[in-house]
Amino acid sequence: TQDGWLARYVLCTPPTISIQPTAVNICQSATASFSVTASNATGYQWTLGGSDISGATNSTYSISGATPSNNGTFAVRVSNACSNVISNNALLTVTPTVNPGIIGANQTICSGSSAAVLTELAAASGGTSSFTYQWQSSPDGSTWSNVASSGTSSTYSPGTLTVTTHFRRLVTSGNCTNIASNAVVITVT
Protein backbone atom coordinates (compact mmCIF):
# COMPACT_ATOMS: atom_id res chain seq x y z
CA THR A 1 0.00 0.00 0.00
CA GLN A 2 0.99 3.53 -0.55
CA ASP A 3 -0.75 6.35 1.28
CA GLY A 4 -3.58 4.03 2.23
CA TRP A 5 -4.29 2.88 -1.35
CA LEU A 6 -3.99 -0.70 -2.39
CA ALA A 7 -2.44 -1.17 -5.79
CA ARG A 8 -3.69 -4.27 -7.54
CA TYR A 9 -2.40 -5.65 -10.77
CA VAL A 10 -4.24 -8.34 -12.65
CA LEU A 11 -2.26 -10.40 -15.10
CA CYS A 12 -4.35 -11.04 -18.16
CA THR A 13 -3.25 -13.54 -20.78
CA PRO A 14 -4.71 -13.07 -24.26
CA PRO A 15 -6.27 -16.05 -26.04
CA THR A 16 -4.07 -18.17 -28.25
CA ILE A 17 -5.23 -20.29 -31.20
CA SER A 18 -3.43 -23.64 -31.35
CA ILE A 19 -5.49 -25.29 -34.11
CA GLN A 20 -6.82 -23.07 -36.89
CA PRO A 21 -10.05 -23.75 -38.83
CA THR A 22 -9.39 -25.41 -42.18
CA ALA A 23 -10.96 -25.28 -45.63
CA VAL A 24 -14.04 -27.44 -46.20
CA ASN A 25 -14.86 -28.96 -49.61
CA ILE A 26 -18.16 -30.83 -49.76
CA CYS A 27 -20.97 -31.90 -52.04
CA GLN A 28 -24.29 -30.06 -51.84
CA SER A 29 -26.60 -31.15 -48.97
CA ALA A 30 -23.69 -32.38 -46.81
CA THR A 31 -22.80 -30.74 -43.48
CA ALA A 32 -19.96 -28.22 -43.45
CA SER A 33 -18.15 -28.07 -40.09
CA PHE A 34 -15.48 -25.67 -38.91
CA SER A 35 -13.66 -25.77 -35.57
CA VAL A 36 -10.96 -23.94 -33.67
CA THR A 37 -8.89 -24.91 -30.63
CA ALA A 38 -7.79 -22.06 -28.39
CA SER A 39 -6.43 -21.56 -24.89
CA ASN A 40 -7.43 -18.77 -22.50
CA ALA A 41 -10.63 -18.26 -24.51
CA THR A 42 -13.98 -17.31 -23.01
CA GLY A 43 -15.81 -16.30 -26.17
CA TYR A 44 -16.09 -17.17 -29.84
CA GLN A 45 -17.73 -15.37 -32.77
CA TRP A 46 -17.71 -16.91 -36.25
CA THR A 47 -17.70 -14.62 -39.25
CA LEU A 48 -18.49 -14.96 -42.94
CA GLY A 49 -16.64 -12.52 -45.16
CA GLY A 50 -15.77 -10.47 -42.07
CA SER A 51 -19.37 -10.12 -40.84
CA ASP A 52 -20.58 -11.77 -37.64
CA ILE A 53 -22.84 -14.81 -38.04
CA SER A 54 -25.77 -14.55 -35.66
CA GLY A 55 -25.73 -17.24 -32.97
CA ALA A 56 -22.37 -18.71 -34.06
CA THR A 57 -20.65 -18.36 -30.69
CA ASN A 58 -19.03 -21.74 -29.98
CA SER A 59 -15.65 -23.24 -30.82
CA THR A 60 -17.36 -25.12 -33.67
CA TYR A 61 -19.68 -23.92 -36.40
CA SER A 62 -21.71 -26.17 -38.72
CA ILE A 63 -24.01 -25.66 -41.69
CA SER A 64 -26.41 -28.57 -42.27
CA GLY A 65 -27.60 -29.17 -45.82
CA ALA A 66 -25.03 -26.78 -47.30
CA THR A 67 -25.62 -25.34 -50.77
CA PRO A 68 -23.35 -23.35 -53.11
CA SER A 69 -24.97 -20.17 -51.71
CA ASN A 70 -23.09 -20.94 -48.45
CA ASN A 71 -19.69 -20.71 -50.20
CA GLY A 72 -17.41 -18.12 -48.66
CA THR A 73 -14.56 -17.31 -46.33
CA PHE A 74 -15.13 -18.16 -42.66
CA ALA A 75 -13.07 -17.16 -39.61
CA VAL A 76 -13.58 -17.01 -35.86
CA ARG A 77 -12.80 -14.24 -33.37
CA VAL A 78 -11.58 -15.79 -30.11
CA SER A 79 -11.77 -13.55 -27.07
CA ASN A 80 -11.41 -13.14 -23.32
CA ALA A 81 -11.45 -10.16 -20.92
CA CYS A 82 -8.04 -9.00 -22.16
CA SER A 83 -8.32 -9.04 -25.92
CA ASN A 84 -9.29 -11.04 -28.97
CA VAL A 85 -7.53 -12.75 -31.81
CA ILE A 86 -8.89 -13.65 -35.24
CA SER A 87 -8.22 -17.04 -36.81
CA ASN A 88 -6.92 -17.72 -40.27
CA ASN A 89 -9.55 -17.74 -43.00
CA ALA A 90 -11.14 -21.06 -43.97
CA LEU A 91 -12.79 -21.33 -47.39
CA LEU A 92 -16.03 -23.27 -47.83
CA THR A 93 -16.57 -24.76 -51.30
CA VAL A 94 -19.86 -26.55 -51.93
CA THR A 95 -20.14 -28.39 -55.26
CA PRO A 96 -23.67 -28.44 -56.72
CA THR A 97 -25.52 -31.77 -56.70
CA VAL A 98 -24.52 -34.26 -59.40
CA ASN A 99 -27.14 -36.04 -61.48
CA PRO A 100 -25.40 -39.24 -62.66
CA GLY A 101 -27.49 -39.47 -65.83
CA ILE A 102 -29.17 -42.60 -67.18
CA ILE A 103 -27.47 -45.61 -68.74
CA GLY A 104 -29.06 -48.23 -70.97
CA ALA A 105 -30.18 -50.70 -71.63
CA ASN A 106 -31.19 -54.12 -70.29
CA GLN A 107 -30.28 -56.94 -72.66
CA THR A 108 -30.72 -60.69 -73.03
CA ILE A 109 -27.91 -62.60 -74.73
CA CYS A 110 -26.82 -66.22 -75.18
CA SER A 111 -23.95 -67.48 -73.04
CA GLY A 112 -20.60 -66.71 -74.67
CA SER A 113 -22.05 -63.88 -76.77
CA SER A 114 -20.93 -60.25 -76.70
CA ALA A 115 -23.25 -57.74 -75.10
CA ALA A 116 -24.05 -54.47 -76.84
CA VAL A 117 -22.29 -51.33 -75.64
CA LEU A 118 -23.88 -49.76 -72.56
CA THR A 119 -24.69 -46.20 -73.56
CA GLU A 120 -25.56 -42.91 -71.97
CA LEU A 121 -29.30 -42.30 -72.47
CA ALA A 122 -29.10 -39.06 -70.46
CA ALA A 123 -25.81 -37.30 -69.74
CA ALA A 124 -24.50 -36.59 -66.26
CA SER A 125 -25.15 -33.01 -65.15
CA GLY A 126 -24.61 -30.62 -62.25
CA GLY A 127 -21.46 -30.62 -60.18
CA THR A 128 -18.64 -28.66 -61.79
CA SER A 129 -19.79 -29.75 -65.28
CA SER A 130 -16.61 -31.83 -65.56
CA PHE A 131 -17.07 -35.56 -64.89
CA THR A 132 -15.06 -38.72 -64.38
CA TYR A 133 -16.61 -42.18 -64.61
CA GLN A 134 -16.10 -45.63 -63.17
CA TRP A 135 -18.22 -48.55 -64.37
CA GLN A 136 -19.04 -51.36 -61.97
CA SER A 137 -20.43 -54.86 -62.32
CA SER A 138 -22.31 -57.09 -59.92
CA PRO A 139 -23.52 -60.70 -59.98
CA ASP A 140 -26.57 -59.84 -57.86
CA GLY A 141 -27.22 -56.06 -58.06
CA SER A 142 -26.01 -55.44 -54.51
CA THR A 143 -22.31 -56.33 -54.35
CA TRP A 144 -20.42 -54.09 -56.78
CA SER A 145 -16.84 -54.18 -58.13
CA ASN A 146 -15.04 -51.79 -60.45
CA VAL A 147 -14.60 -53.13 -63.98
CA ALA A 148 -11.22 -53.12 -65.75
CA SER A 149 -9.40 -49.89 -66.54
CA SER A 150 -11.35 -49.53 -69.80
CA GLY A 151 -14.45 -48.77 -67.71
CA THR A 152 -13.73 -45.09 -67.20
CA SER A 153 -15.62 -43.42 -70.06
CA SER A 154 -19.27 -42.39 -70.38
CA THR A 155 -20.06 -45.66 -72.24
CA TYR A 156 -18.89 -49.21 -71.61
CA SER A 157 -18.51 -52.38 -73.67
CA PRO A 158 -18.99 -55.40 -71.39
CA GLY A 159 -17.65 -57.86 -73.98
CA THR A 160 -18.44 -61.58 -73.85
CA LEU A 161 -20.50 -62.77 -70.87
CA THR A 162 -21.31 -66.26 -69.58
CA VAL A 163 -23.40 -65.28 -66.53
CA THR A 164 -26.11 -62.71 -65.88
CA THR A 165 -24.43 -59.49 -64.81
CA HIS A 166 -25.64 -56.09 -63.52
CA PHE A 167 -23.85 -52.88 -64.50
CA ARG A 168 -23.91 -49.29 -63.24
CA ARG A 169 -21.82 -46.17 -63.67
CA LEU A 170 -20.34 -44.05 -60.87
CA VAL A 171 -19.95 -40.34 -61.61
CA THR A 172 -17.59 -37.93 -59.84
CA SER A 173 -17.54 -34.14 -60.22
CA GLY A 174 -15.64 -31.83 -57.89
CA ASN A 175 -16.37 -32.79 -54.28
CA CYS A 176 -19.27 -35.05 -55.26
CA THR A 177 -17.82 -38.54 -55.60
CA ASN A 178 -19.13 -41.90 -56.75
CA ILE A 179 -22.74 -40.94 -57.46
CA ALA A 180 -24.35 -44.12 -58.83
CA SER A 181 -26.51 -44.22 -61.96
CA ASN A 182 -29.37 -46.60 -62.50
CA ALA A 183 -28.38 -50.25 -62.93
CA VAL A 184 -28.96 -52.34 -66.06
CA VAL A 185 -29.02 -56.12 -66.30
CA ILE A 186 -27.56 -58.24 -69.05
CA THR A 187 -29.36 -61.57 -68.72
CA VAL A 188 -27.42 -64.56 -70.02
CA THR A 189 -29.47 -67.56 -71.16
Side-chain angles (χ1 to χ4, degrees):
T1 63
Q2 182 177 9
D3 297 331
W5 291 94
L6 176 63
R8 199 151 89 170
Y9 296 94
V10 176
L11 179 61
C12 191
T13 304
T16 305
I17 296 174
S18 56
I19 301 177
Q20 297 281 346
T22 58
V24 175
N25 298 297
I26 59 171
C27 190
Q28 184 170 333
S29 298
T31 298
S33 294
F34 297 97
S35 65
V36 67
T37 301
S39 57
N40 304 312
T42 57
Y44 301 89
Q45 177 59 64
W46 287 90
T47 63
L48 171 57
S51 298
D52 291 355
I53 301 169
S54 177
T57 57
N58 294 308
S59 62
T60 61
Y61 177 65
S62 296
I63 303 169
S64 298
T67 67
S69 67
N70 297 120
N71 286 347
T73 303
F74 291 79
V76 61
R77 188 170 52 255
V78 180
S79 61
N80 66 15
C82 296
S83 64
N84 64 67
V85 61
I86 298 174
S87 72
N88 293 345
N89 289 333
L91 184 65
L92 172 60
T93 304
V94 180
T95 300
T97 300
V98 171
N99 175 339
I102 299 171
I103 61 167
N106 291 337
Q107 303 171 39
T108 300
I109 63 171
C110 293
S111 181
S113 297
S114 291
V117 172
L118 299 175
T119 60
E120 183 174 67
L121 302 179
S125 61
T128 63
S129 298
S130 175
F131 306 100
T132 59
Y133 305 98
Q134 176 61 62
W135 286 83
Q136 294 187 317
S137 64
S138 170
D140 57 12
S142 61
T143 304
W144 296 93
S145 300
N146 291 346
V147 300
S149 61
S150 63
T152 58
S153 66
S154 61
T155 62
Y156 178 66
S157 179
T160 302
L161 297 175
T162 57
V163 296
T164 297
T165 308
H166 302 250
F167 291 91
R168 71 180 183 182
R169 182 181 72 181
L170 301 180
V171 179
T172 295
S173 181
N175 303 311
C176 302
T177 59
N178 299 326
I179 311 300
S181 70
N182 61 302
V184 296
V185 181
I186 301 176
T187 304
V188 176
T189 58

